[in-house]
Amino acid sequence: MKSLSLLLALCCLLNNAHAAPASYVVENTEVRDIRAQGLKRDYQLYVALPDSYRQGNKRYPVLFVVDANYAFPVVRNIAQRLNKHAGMEEVVVVGLSYANGDGGVYSRRRDYTPTTPRKHDYRSDMPGRQPAFGEAAAYGQFVSGEVFPFIASNYRVNMQRKVFIGHSYGSLLGLQLLLTEPRTFEHYILGSPSLWYDAGVMFDREQAYAGSHKDLPASVFFGIGGLEKLSEGKKRSRAEEDADMVADLREFDGKLKSRKFPNLKTRLRVFEDEDHASVFPFVLTHGLRAYLKSAK
């Protein structure tokens, strides 16, 4: 019997030695499956709850972040750090995943863009499927019509204090909402929006909105890296995707300000020495500070 026990113990040790290491799990987070009925696709919601969530009945501001596969842990961790070390109020963070079964590039091109570009030579990251574009309006309806009720019914959130967070194509989605249903969110944090997309179609959308509306009730924080511009000697052109994104954003923000919409508040910050890949945490931090309250 003693030799059998030793043999079993040895087997356990060997099995443990070959077992995969445990994954790191972010505390106080949940993953929820959700069916987009209108889109006929499945997504996931990543939800991060503040440390005090289990201790009372408070309702928290809620941050909705797209491109969640990358951005959700960044937003959750920065929001938590700003609370613990800068006194900023706690929040619930909701990450919006890419569609189940779709590649990330394929999913975001389709869901976050407002149009099918008139000229393009994009390749699909999903073999056997042509690239898809232009479903931002339908995806926005999924967010407001299906994601919002799900979050409101399952979590203690203040749905009168919703924040949209996007970057690049994600900011195109934010602009789609801003220029169609601006009250979808109370605050927009839009980093490095791809205003070059489809020959600057969002400039046309802004002009059309201004031509038919007297107000744009929204709070918007724009941020971009100072290095997101054309290399020296290159000429800016709407026909080129190799754009001066800093100049584009300054122009777009300037057009919004020139409309004198009484209930529009915009701020633009250019973060020098940052590029398209590095600027998001800076945009996020300053965008949150522009809206959330702080005790310090």
Side-chain angles (χ1 to χ4, degrees):
M1 289 295 292
K2 187 177 292 186
S3 59
L4 180 60
S5 297
L6 288 172
L7 181 60
L8 290 172
L10 180 60
C11 287
C12 287
L13 287 172
L14 290 173
N15 286 336
N16 289 336
H18 293 289
S23 298
Y24 176 78
V25 178
V26 178
E27 295 178 319
N28 295 329
T29 60
E30 302 175 355
V31 178
R32 298 294 196 103
D33 295 317
I34 186 168
R35 175 72 174 174
Q37 298 295 337
L39 301 176
K40 296 181 172 54
R41 293 193 286 270
D42 295 307
Y43 294 84
Q44 289 184 319
L45 303 176
Y46 310 149
V47 182
L49 302 174
D51 290 343
S52 67
Y53 189 83
R54 313 286 182 196
Q55 300 168 6
N57 55 11
K58 176 182 176 180
R59 293 189 175 274
Y60 298 85
V62 53
L63 317 181
F64 291 87
V65 55
V66 294
D67 283 314
N69 300 50
Y70 154 71
F72 172 73
V74 177
V75 174
R76 180 265 184 192
N77 289 343
I78 288 179
Q80 184 184 72
R81 186 170 182 82
L82 288 173
N83 167 253
K84 290 184 175 180
H85 301 288
M88 191 167 290
E89 59 188 313
E90 290 181 299
V91 296
V92 170
V93 181
V94 178
L96 301 161
S97 81
Y98 302 130
N100 293 357
D102 286 352
V105 173
Y106 187 94
S107 185
R108 72 195 301 266
R109 277 179 180 165
R110 177 193 59 216
D111 291 346
Y112 300 169
T113 59
T115 56
T116 298
R118 285 158 278 191
K119 295 181 181 179
H120 75 84
D121 57 357
Y122 295 104
R123 294 183 179 181
S124 175
D125 65 330
M126 299 191 68
R129 294 173 67 179
Q130 291 298 313
F133 305 90
E135 296 190 21
Y139 184 82
Q141 290 173 1
F142 158 61
V143 172
S144 61
E146 298 179 74
V147 174
F148 284 3
F150 181 91
I151 293 299
S153 63
N154 286 282
Y155 298 96
R156 292 197 323 276
V157 293
N158 182 349
M159 295 300 284
Q160 304 305 310
R161 299 191 67 202
K162 303 181 300 297
V163 178
F164 177 92
I165 301 170
H167 183 254
S168 195
Y169 271 15
S171 289
L172 273 186
L173 174 63
L175 290 174
Q176 166 73 29
L177 294 167
L178 181 70
L179 295 175
T180 54
E181 298 290 340
R183 288 190 173 92
T184 303
F185 292 90
E186 284 65 50
H187 186 57
Y188 294 81
I189 300 174
L190 304 179
S192 306
S194 303
L195 289 164
W196 50 263
Y197 182 81
D198 194 12
V201 67
M202 275 303 173
F203 287 93
D204 300 333
R205 296 281 181 91
E206 188 279 333
Q207 185 174 357
Y209 183 94
S212 58
H213 295 79
K214 296 184 181 300
D215 197 9
L216 179 54
S219 166
V220 187
F221 182 90
F222 289 120
I224 196 165
L227 301 178
E228 297 188 71
K229 55 189 178 183
L230 290 173
S231 56
E232 190 173 349
K234 292 207 69 173
K235 188 175 181 180
R236 185 173 170 225
S237 170
R238 285 270 186 269
E240 298 290 336
E241 291 192 357
D242 187 13
D244 188 329
M245 295 182 67
V246 175
D248 282 350
L249 187 53
R250 289 191 190 279
E251 180 183 343
F252 192 85
D253 183 59
K255 285 183 179 294
L256 286 175
K257 285 182 166 63
S258 74
R259 309 301 184 186
K260 306 297 183 183
F261 292 126
N263 291 298
L264 174 64
K265 177 184 177 183
T266 73
R267 291 179 59 186
L268 169 59
R269 177 76 182 268
V270 178
F271 297 91
E272 301 299 336
D273 301 321
E274 303 301 333
D275 59 24
H276 197 72
S278 67
V279 76
F280 178 67
F282 296 92
V283 177
L284 172 65
T285 298
H286 289 263
L288 291 176
R289 283 177 167 161
Y291 180 74
L292 294 177
K293 298 174 184 176
S294 177
K296 295 185 179 180

